[in-house]
Amino acid sequence: MLKIENLTAEIDGKTILNGLSLEVAAGEIHAIMGPNGAGKSTLSYVLGGRPGYEVTGGSVIFRGQDLLDMEPHERAASGLFLGFQYPVEIPGVSNVQFLREALNAQRKGRGEEPLSGGEFLKVAKEKAALLKLDMDMLKRNVNVGFSGGEKKRAEMVQMGILDPAFAVLDETDSGLDIDALRVVGDGINTIMRNSGKGVLLITHYQRLLDVVKPDKVSILSKGRIVKTGGPELALRLESEGYDAVMAEPA
Amino acid sequence: MTQDVAFPTRKDEAWRYSDTDALAGMDLGAFDRWQDIEVPAGETVRETLVISDENSDPDGVELRRLRVKIGKGARFELFGVIAGAQLGRVEVVLTLAEGAHFEMGGITVGGRSTVREFVTRVAHEEPNATSNQIVRSVHWGKGTGNFLGRIDVVRDAQKTDAAQSFKGLLLEKGASVNAVPQLEIFADDVKCEHGASVGQMDENARFYMAARGLSPEASRRLLVQAFIGDALVELDDEAEQERLLRIALDKLDKHL
Ligand SMILES: Nc1ncnc2c1ncn2[C@@H]1O[C@H](COP(=O)(O)OP(=O)(O)O)[C@@H](O)[C@H]1O
Ligand SMILES: [Mg+2]
């Protein structure tokens, strides 16, 4: 579903991704773990097409298409969702207005009919309930005045509404207390655990992986994938640390 | 009334950032045409005003001058969009009697080398009057947006509360905005506030919006709408709000 080959990318002339290869099949949840500064967020931004993140080599094929050839909004319309490590506040624009426009823009890009205001609100209510986020929050401006945990839950409500084929979730668990972590984890399972969908789940913590059980786990270090294994790899990282696990031969 | 029949120049304080070259060849009579409005005591009058490509010459000058007297306890509201003419200029000269209120929301948008400006002179002549002026300017190309707001508070006008807020949003490098507040205060128990700022579009927000599927045009429109919406929050008529917003946003869509 997503095939990344030998990807290199730089920011301000500094190489951050350095020959990264990774494949995620449909139906798979693939966890990415790695030390701070390894390039995890950079990978998610490069996949999203963020300006300033320059791809200098390699390829990314997403659902049979050259992802790197598409504009950011076209990537979204083709089914890619980015869950931001730091969701952005947009004063003056309500969640409802923003998400309805976004959803209808994506639907239009796929040749589907737009949802009416009523139809949209029905979907939004359902997804807000799933993530236990008060519907009133969705009437407020995008992420403005939201706590860290509310922002992350709102990200998942957005994902539920947009219903993407593939999600790259960047530290969606950071800033969540234990209860919220379970709600968010269950939300990810409900929305994305599907034979036709895929997830790249960037996290530091086993506790999210206890809820969202990954099929594969990869370690990203210094801009490339250095090890891939099953769920047990995450457990070993938790008990032994990155240095020990990465030190052994691949 | 004696008339000053010479063209204004940039040396005149109230024309400092204007396009006085555009005035050449203009009918001098225009400088003496005023729309007079009297708001009787206790009443409310709302005026909306649009300068757009529909009602003005894109290469010409469009000058609108309002002279307003607001009676005791009365309220005057002015909401305007300047989105047309080489030089589009709205001047307001206004006096407030005791306990009166003046509410203004102004929007300027434009590119090329156009100048679009609000020039107000608000006189608090009696106690307890309030005024609130909000101007939002969005420009691109070599376009300029100005807000020159003078506030006079006479000695007896205690408990005056006067506020001005200006924000500029520059969508391209060559564009500019200017805010010139001028306060002449002769009473001592007075609240006068003014704020001015200028910025660019939030690129973080734009990438976030793109990542959710919005095209660059759509995200720009949403952000600009949020930005200029400030000037219309006090307009208590949704249809009219919509109409003014659309005029400003359509201008943007058509020319950028
Ligand atoms: N905007 C930027 N400009 C310059 N360097 C950056 C920028 N963003 C990230 N980096 C650098 O890229 C590297 C990877 O960062 P990041 O992808 O955020 O790591 P992670 O998410 O794995 O913690 C770090 O060395 C960081 O300092
Ligand atoms: Mg990160």
Side-chain angles (χ1 to χ4, degrees), chain B residues 168-220:
Chain B
L169 178 61
L170 305 180
L171 301 182
E172 291 177 347
K173 267 208 167 67
S176 62
V177 294
N178 304 282
V180 186
Q182 194 185 344
L183 307 175
E184 304 284 344
I185 301 172
F186 293 98
D188 44 29
D189 186 9
V190 166
K191 223 170 97 185
C192 277
E193 265 179 82
H194 73 88
S197 67
V198 54
Q200 280 137 28
M201 204 125 54
D202 179 350
E203 290 305 326
N204 279 334
R206 291 194 85 196
F207 175 65
Y208 188 65
M209 295 165 110
R212 298 293 176 260
L214 291 178
S215 67
E217 295 73 28
S219 68
R220 187 183 68 206

Side-chain angles (χ1 to χ4, degrees), chain A residues 45 79 126 135 141 177 190 211 220 227 238 245:
Chain A
Y45 289 145
E126 188 190 307
M135 192 56 198
N141 290 338
D177 61 36
T190 307
V211 186
L220 201 168
K227 208 177 190 75
E238 180 103 328
V245 175

Side-chain angles (χ1 to χ4, degrees), chain A residues 213-224:
Chain A
K213 299 201 158 54
D215 303 288
K216 287 186 181 152
V217 176
S218 285
I219 304 174
L220 201 168
S221 173
K222 299 196 177 116
R224 55 158 65 108

Side-chain angles (χ1 to χ4, degrees), chain A residues 48 50 73 76 81-82 84 90-92 97-98 102 105-106 143 155 158 162, chain B residues 202-205 207-216 218 222-223 225-226:
Chain A
R50 185 173 196 134
H73 67 285
F81 178 88
L82 285 196
F84 282 57
I90 313 178
Q97 182 186 22
F98 170 48
Q106 289 197 22
N143 292 320
E155 282 297 271
Q158 294 190 16
L162 297 171
Chain B
D202 179 350
E203 290 305 326
N204 279 334
F207 175 65
Y208 188 65
M209 295 165 110
R212 298 293 176 260
L214 291 178
S215 67
L222 265 185
L223 289 177
Q225 182 180 334

